[in-house]
Amino acid sequence: GVRDVLFLYEENRCSMTYMYEYPEYLKIKLPKKTARRYPVYELYLYGEGNYAEENKNLFLTGIPVLFLPGNAGSYKQVRSLGSIALRKAEDVDFKYHFNFFSVNFNEELVALYGGSLQRQTKFVHECIKVILKLYRDREFAPTSVAIVGHSMGGLVARALLTLKNFKPELINLLITQATPHVAPVMPLDKYLTDFYTAVNNHWILKAQDLRNLTTLSVAGGFRDYQVRSGLAFLPRLSQHDSALSVVSSAVPRAWASTDHLSIVWCKELILATIRAFFDLIDENTRQITEDPKKRMSVLNHHFVRHPAKIFEENPEAFTELTGAFTWITVKASKWTYSSYNDSDGKFFTFPLASHRKSYSHVYCENSMLDTSSWIYGCMNSNSSMCLEATDLSWKAELLPTTKVVILQLQDYPSLSHIVIQALPTVGNKYTLDCEFFKEDSRTVQLPVTHLFSFGLSSSKILLNSTGLLYNVQLQHFNQIYQAFKIYIEGHCQSLKERKANVYRLHIPWSHEDSIFVAKVPSFTEISAKLHTAQPQNDNRVPELNIYSSSDCQYEVSNADLFYSYYPYILVFQIIRFHAGALPVYVVSNILLTYGGQLSTLISTGQCSDFSLELVRTAKPYKVEPLISIVVFLQRFHWFRVIWQSLSLPEVDAAVLSSQDAWFPLVSLILFLFGTGIAYWSGVFFSISLRLFSSLWLTLIRPTVLHKDKKLITPRRLCEMLSLVLVSWTTCGAFAIFIIYLQYLFKDSDPSKETSRNSSIHTVKNQSSMDNTSKATQLLSNSTTIAEAVNSLKMHVTILNLFTWIVLLNLPSLIYWLKNLRYSVRLDPDPCRSTAIILVCILEILMNSSTSEVKSSKLLKIAAKVPLPLSVAMLAFGRMHLYKVPHFVTFSFLLHVLCCIV
């Protein structure tokens, strides 16, 4: 599953963007107060060559666009947008041009540490005010700024509207690239989840106030394994009709999935963005239009359905068909025309009266991919010529190899003819095709697999018609866990050269279509997977549109090798949607094992081996049923009232279900994955510890074992206080890492020494003792060895749990180290309080042994608590990974109390 997510996706179909001149980044001087408050951040203006030289005096006359980089992103990523916009401005002789600004966020890891998101948002607000001041007293001074945000930069842009003193009219257009809008990819700290909650709640509650802001979210598709496309879709709100979400594979003239970084430089996608920017310009103000309807029309034109025409806000209703063209009447229901070096233009007229009774639709395609009009509707029923007609070219749709029009005849009752214009060609070859058809004859249904088919169900259909278009409806394909392969095999009657076929997987409830181009004869494999599940009250069916050749036969199936693919294609979906929750399941398994070891300590007096106890104790039926029952009961109002009265948070599985990201058996499968990872990580950890201990004992040969039976000594108290001070004054994760290394060395030293020295002591003294003393000493030594082994096993499990705590807090440590030159103290620190508690607990715990725990009155409680903690962890930790250390810390606290009481 991981291999599929990381490597098995479509090839990169993006072209690289190149600068024609050397890119330059002019640093904008910020007000002293702003620079002092945000010393790490900077604002730059992008330029190239002469354009950069001209702008050094900051006399700007263009349209301001602000680029916000994302997690660990560079301000220099603006160069693709800036460079192509500059070339486009040169094409129109700088009648209009854009000034691209970019913010330097110091490449902060904001996807892993949310403490600086609010700071970044406030800095962007200051930048917008600075940018608009640069245009003061200009003839066409802007009053707002367009923003392009990559990854977390898009979320920061949305967060601007949550600021108390922010004026919404300062932004009129927001384009986000691969931004996780719905939820964080890895919710590693409270600041991150709280930031998301504040932003999304504001956009839902204040949706009426956002009508003047047009938002476009572009997701990367399956190539982007860092941010899955489902997270990049803006919330669907009936009252917020100025937001649009698309996947890059569905964007016209791009039709390519992008990875998380290439979405910034993908030439096809950047061209679509810049074309949209120039079409958004109002000729009167020379700025981006203030009309929200026009903005949405432009974005739909370039990012949803491109009619292969240059955008016009109000196209003329009627067009005069003039020119010395020959008029030809076509009465056949199917027609093909090829033109090559034809100097005469032609008008082909298709009378509709004779076709209305027999056919429901007309389909036409044109292989000439220019932007001129080519298909018209005529209302003159008395003549074969038509002087004035309505332009139907706006109903066309651009595909990779052709432009097509599908018209339902009953929608145009006033039309008497359809007119196709064949322009004269010089050195060009193109083909025109038209056919009338009944919708039922071109629509076939293909049942798809469901969750419990295990790849055993299969379907196959044969398309043996001579038509140009087929629609294969994929029945019951509406959930994200459904993943299967579609195979299309094309055979042709003749081997003549023909145009490539286009296959489109069309998802009607979201803009996430995938388009494939294949030459016939060929065998094409299509991976059918959804980014978003079908919304409630939406009965539309996904379709496979086949734009075919007329003399070919097609076999469409989801069978053949499908059964062998099914299990790990399903795993692909689980990993893609829920890999971030795996640490919770791993720690839950280890915590159950930890509780089992404490139980065996009560029953047998011995601590069982980690791997054996994991197999015995970590069972999904101990934790899953209770969570499922709670999720089921939360459907009822009375239970929700009781739940809220107890001030309990909502169960994560219920939230995921409401987002259509949860599906049957996923929790069970993730728990089993967690068991496997916990088992092998335990084996790896034990082997590593053994090797490290052996190396340690080889380098440092202890002759005497110093064992202090006191849990707390003045020296340990000083160490504890020192680490608490480190945690408070610098970074909590740093203190956790220090105590982890200390524990690791401690575990590698005394336990191994105990084992080794006890054995040596036995051998040395055997010759000088009588039989009675020998037996007594052997018994004493064997007890000491057994105790040492029990303690070692317990410490290994504790270290295993603690390792995951360190890993979950590692992003904060990395962020702190990266920004150490600016500030010694991490503020805010998501793990400071947890670190202080853990330091105090582990300083005692690392010096404890099982002999102290056995006699404790609290041991029974300590052994039973890990089970409810595991249940709580799975209930509330899947979408809040930062809560996991809290549950583990509580278990450790009980263990320490067992050592004392």
Side-chain angles (χ1 to χ4, degrees):
V2 172
R3 182 179 70 98
D4 277 13
V5 171
L6 297 181
F7 303 110
L8 294 188
Y9 41 67
E10 66 179 76
E11 62 181 3
N12 183 21
R13 288 189 278 178
C14 284
S15 305
M16 176 60 78
T17 48
Y18 294 97
M19 284 74 250
Y20 289 88
E21 297 174 279
Y22 192 78
E24 294 185 36
Y25 306 89
L26 177 64
K27 187 176 178 180
I28 306 295
K29 188 176 180 181
L30 299 171
K32 289 182 180 179
K33 187 178 177 181
T34 304
R36 191 165 54 248
R37 188 180 297 173
Y38 309 101
V40 183
Y41 303 151
E42 296 166 325
L43 177 65
Y44 288 88
L45 172 66
Y46 177 81
E48 292 179 22
N50 292 333
Y51 171 76
E53 286 294 323
E54 291 169 4
N55 286 334
K56 281 189 176 177
N57 60 2
L58 292 180
F59 188 83
L60 306 177
T61 57
I63 302 167
V65 180
L66 179 60
F67 176 78
L68 305 179
N71 178 55
S74 169
Y75 66 94
K76 295 182 179 181
Q77 288 173 312
V78 73
R79 61 183 175 268
S80 295
L81 284 164
S83 182
I84 289 181
L86 182 59
R87 301 283 86 77
K88 180 81 171 171
E90 288 175 352
D91 290 344
V92 296
D93 295 324
F94 282 93
K95 181 183 179 182
Y96 311 113
H97 71 278
F98 289 85
N99 302 128
F100 275 85
F101 297 85
S102 185
V103 174
N104 178 16
F105 284 136
N106 193 34
E107 301 184 10
E108 290 180 335
L109 301 171
V110 286
L112 303 177
Y113 168 75
S116 60
L117 283 168
Q118 194 66 28
R119 189 161 54 243
Q120 286 190 1
T121 306
K122 291 177 180 178
F123 179 73
V124 171
H125 184 199
E126 297 299 323
C127 287
I128 291 173
K129 290 190 283 188
V130 169
I131 289 168
L132 292 177
K133 278 183 182 178
L134 295 174
Y135 294 86
R136 199 162 46 189
D137 303 327
R138 302 287 187 273
E139 183 181 358
F140 298 101
T143 58
S144 60
V145 174
I147 295 181
V148 179
H150 173 238
S151 188
M152 295 297 287
L155 189 72
V156 168
R158 286 181 64 210
L160 284 166
L161 297 157
T162 65
L163 298 177
K164 288 182 180 179
N165 56 347
F166 184 79
K167 298 176 182 177
E169 57 269 19
L170 291 180
I171 313 174
N172 55 13
L173 177 67
L174 169 60
I175 297 177
T176 66
Q177 302 170 325
T179 297
H181 292 293
V182 177
V185 178
M186 293 290 284
L188 290 168
D189 67 59
K190 192 175 186 297
Y191 303 113
L192 192 58
T193 54
D194 287 352
F195 189 81
Y196 264 91
T197 303
V199 172
N200 287 328
N201 286 347
H202 183 88
W203 276 60
I204 292 169
L205 296 173
K206 303 287 184 180
Q208 293 288 350
D209 301 339
L210 303 176
R211 284 183 174 274
N212 291 325
L213 172 62
T214 304
T215 311
L216 169 68
S217 175
V218 183
F222 291 111
R223 280 186 63 84
D224 189 350
Y225 60 83
Q226 294 183 45
V227 176
R228 62 177 177 84
S229 297
L231 291 178
F233 278 62
L234 291 160
R236 294 189 186 95
L237 299 172
S238 57
Q239 66 270 36
H240 191 199
D241 54 1
S242 58
L244 180 65
S245 301
V246 299
V247 179
S248 61
S249 60
V251 174
R253 304 172 79 171
W255 298 301
S257 177
T258 62
D259 60 54
H260 197 62
L261 289 178
S262 69
I263 198 169
V264 174
W265 54 255
C266 179
K267 185 178 179 181
E268 289 76 9
L269 205 55
I270 299 299
L271 282 169
T273 306
I274 297 302
R275 290 186 192 114
F277 269 130
F278 275 85
D279 284 341
L280 285 165
I281 298 172
D282 186 328
E283 290 186 3
N284 297 321
T285 63
R286 297 202 176 185
Q287 296 294 325
I288 287 178
T289 178
E290 295 295 326
D291 183 4
K293 289 184 178 178
K294 180 184 177 181
R295 291 199 295 259
M296 284 304 294
S297 297
V298 170
L299 294 180
N300 275 294
H301 179 92
H302 289 282
F303 288 91
V304 178
R305 185 187 179 95
H306 198 296
K309 285 180 66 65
I310 295 171
F311 176 79
E312 293 180 28
E313 186 178 358
N314 296 305
E316 293 183 9
F318 294 98
T319 305
E320 292 185 3
L321 302 182
T322 57
F325 283 34
T326 307
W327 287 81
I328 302 170
T329 302
V330 180
K331 295 184 178 180
S333 61
K334 187 173 181 180
W335 167 82
T336 299
Y337 173 77
S338 295
S339 175
Y340 181 66
N341 275 340
D342 192 349
S343 58
D344 298 323
K346 297 180 178 65
F347 283 120
F348 296 93
T349 64
F350 297 80
L352 297 181
S354 59
H355 295 300
R356 287 187 183 275
K357 291 182 180 179
S358 304
Y359 305 104
S360 62
H361 290 73
V362 59
Y363 168 82
C364 293
E365 62 181 26
N366 185 351
S367 64
M368 181 181 281
L369 301 180
D370 62 351
T371 57
S372 59
S373 296
W374 60 283
I375 182 168
Y376 304 89
C378 185
M379 298 179 189
N380 180 10
S381 58
N382 300 320
S383 172
S384 59
M385 291 180 63
C386 185
L387 299 178
E388 192 176 61
T390 180
D391 191 351
L392 296 176
S393 304
W394 292 103
K395 304 291 182 183
E397 183 174 13
L398 182 65
L399 294 173
T401 60
T402 185
K403 48 188 179 183
V404 302
V405 172
I406 305 171
L407 302 174
Q408 190 168 350
L409 296 179
Q410 68 178 23
D411 292 342
Y412 302 90
S414 59
L415 294 186
S416 61
H417 294 73
I418 284 179
V419 180
I420 303 290
Q421 182 179 20
L423 295 170
T425 56
V426 180
N428 293 324
K429 182 178 181 180
Y430 70 95
T431 305
L432 291 164
D433 293 280
C434 277
E435 67 169 348
F436 291 85
F437 66 91
K438 268 191 173 181
E439 187 178 21
D440 295 343
S441 65
R442 299 299 171 82
T443 304
V444 292
Q445 295 179 345
L446 182 70
V448 304
T449 184
H450 53 82
L451 180 63
F452 300 105
S453 67
F454 298 104
L456 299 175
S457 65
S458 61
S459 304
K460 184 183 292 187
I461 54 173
L462 194 65
L463 306 177
N464 203 14
S465 172
T466 57
L468 298 171
L469 172 71
Y470 298 97
N471 296 320
V472 181
Q473 293 185 341
L474 304 174
Q475 294 294 312
H476 313 297
F477 181 37
N478 51 23
Q479 297 298 329
I480 57 169
Y481 56 78
Q482 291 174 292
F484 54 93
K485 301 275 187 180
I486 297 175
Y487 302 99
I488 305 174
E489 191 169 2
H491 302 285
C492 298
Q493 295 173 3
S494 61
L495 297 177
K496 67 177 183 180
E497 185 181 349
R498 56 175 52 78
K499 64 180 177 67
N501 290 343
V502 177
Y503 308 132
R504 175 167 67 178
L505 184 61
H506 174 58
I507 311 300
W509 56 79
S510 67
H511 304 297
E512 54 178 274
D513 292 6
S514 299
I515 291 183
F516 307 87
V517 179
K519 290 186 177 180
V520 178
S522 66
F523 181 82
T524 307
E525 180 185 283
I526 297 173
S527 291
K529 298 184 287 285
L530 294 174
H531 294 293
T532 55
Q534 186 177 30
Q536 292 180 350
N537 304 321
D538 191 329
N539 299 320
R540 290 173 294 177
V541 181
E543 291 182 336
L544 176 66
N545 305 132
I546 300 177
Y547 301 91
S548 59
S549 298
S550 59
D551 58 344
C552 297
Q553 181 187 75
Y554 298 88
E555 185 179 282
V556 184
S557 66
N558 65 341
D560 296 335
L561 300 175
F562 173 64
Y563 64 88
S564 64
Y565 281 103
Y566 180 81
Y568 80 97
I569 290 180
L570 176 63
V571 171
F572 170 96
Q573 291 294 85
I574 291 173
I575 295 297
R576 191 161 65 92
F577 279 85
H578 301 290
L582 271 175
V584 183
Y585 286 89
V586 176
V587 176
S588 177
N589 274 274
I590 300 172
L591 198 58
L592 287 172
T593 307
Y594 172 65
Q597 286 182 317
L598 291 176
S599 297
T600 56
L601 207 57
I602 298 169
S603 57
T604 64
Q606 303 294 322
C607 183
S608 55
D609 188 65
F610 175 81
S611 55
L612 295 174
E613 194 60 40
L614 177 71
V615 173
R616 189 182 72 83
T617 314
K619 302 295 183 185
Y621 59 77
K622 292 183 178 181
V623 292
E624 291 298 332
L626 185 59
I627 297 172
S628 300
I629 290 167
V630 171
V631 172
F632 174 76
L633 290 174
Q634 283 197 330
R635 298 176 184 176
F636 301 100
H637 178 70
W638 61 268
F639 185 80
R640 289 199 300 272
V641 170
I642 296 171
W643 192 263
Q644 289 170 3
S645 66
L646 296 171
S647 300
L648 290 170
E650 196 172 0
V651 177
D652 287 353
V655 178
L656 289 167
S657 296
S658 67
Q659 296 174 358
D660 298 320
W662 203 246
F663 45 89
L665 300 181
V666 65
S667 190
L668 174 63
I669 294 169
L670 286 170
F671 190 92
L672 297 177
F673 287 169
T675 307
I677 294 169
Y679 180 88
W680 288 109
S681 65
V683 170
F684 174 77
F685 191 78
S686 297
I687 292 171
S688 302
L689 196 64
R690 197 176 293 257
L691 291 171
F692 180 68
S693 302
S694 302
L695 181 64
W696 182 254
L697 288 173
T698 305
L699 295 173
I700 303 170
R701 290 181 167 278
T703 54
V704 181
L705 174 65
H706 296 287
K707 174 77 174 170
D708 196 334
K709 292 185 178 180
K710 290 183 180 180
L711 288 172
I712 303 174
T713 63
R715 181 183 173 183
R716 288 170 193 164
L717 194 60
C718 288
E719 289 176 357
M720 188 191 300
L721 292 173
S722 299
L723 288 174
V724 167
L725 189 65
V726 167
S727 178
W728 185 260
T729 57
T730 58
C731 171
F734 182 50
I736 288 174
F737 189 67
I738 292 171
I739 196 78
Y740 175 72
L741 292 177
Q742 191 180 343
Y743 201 150
L744 198 64
F745 276 88
K746 195 89 173 178
D747 206 31
S748 304
D749 191 6
S751 298
K752 284 291 178 184
E753 284 181 24
T754 303
S755 250
R756 184 174 179 276
N757 290 333
S758 299
S759 303
I760 293 168
H761 188 69
T762 303
V763 173
K764 281 185 178 180
N765 290 288
Q766 269 183 350
S767 57
S768 58
M769 293 171 133
D770 59 21
N771 291 335
T772 307
S773 59
K774 275 184 187 178
T776 306
Q777 186 63 40
L778 280 170
L779 183 62
S780 173
N781 285 328
S782 63
T783 305
T784 306
I785 294 167
E787 195 60 49
V789 170
N790 284 336
S791 296
L792 179 61
K793 287 177 181 178
M794 185 58 71
H795 283 303
V796 166
T797 304
I798 291 170
L799 261 176
N800 208 342
L801 274 171
F802 192 31
T803 301
W804 284 96
I805 293 179
V806 172
L807 290 174
L808 289 173
N809 286 307
L810 205 57
S812 296
L813 178 61
I814 295 169
Y815 181 92
W816 174 73
L817 289 170
K818 199 169 179 293
N819 291 275
L820 194 56
R821 57 179 173 160
Y822 301 106
S823 176
V824 175
R825 192 172 194 258
L826 180 64
D827 189 36
D829 190 344
C831 54
R832 180 170 289 132
S833 55
T834 308
I836 291 170
I837 297 168
L838 273 173
V839 162
C840 298
I841 290 171
L842 292 170
E843 193 66 50
I844 299 170
L845 206 57
M846 73 172 72
N847 298 293
S848 66
S849 66
T850 52
S851 60
E852 295 154 346
V853 177
K854 281 180 193 177
S855 56
S856 174
K857 297 175 183 178
L858 297 175
L859 184 57
K860 286 185 179 180
I861 298 172
K864 289 178 181 177
V865 162
L867 177 58
L869 286 179
S870 294
V871 175
M873 193 186 297
L874 294 184
F876 306 116
R878 277 183 279 221
M879 295 179 66
H880 307 84
L881 291 178
Y882 61 88
K883 291 181 179 179
V884 172
H886 303 161
F887 296 111
V888 177
T889 303
F890 187 74
S891 283
F892 287 169
L893 179 62
L894 286 177
H895 194 134
V896 168
L897 291 175
C898 287
C899 296
I900 299 170
V901 180

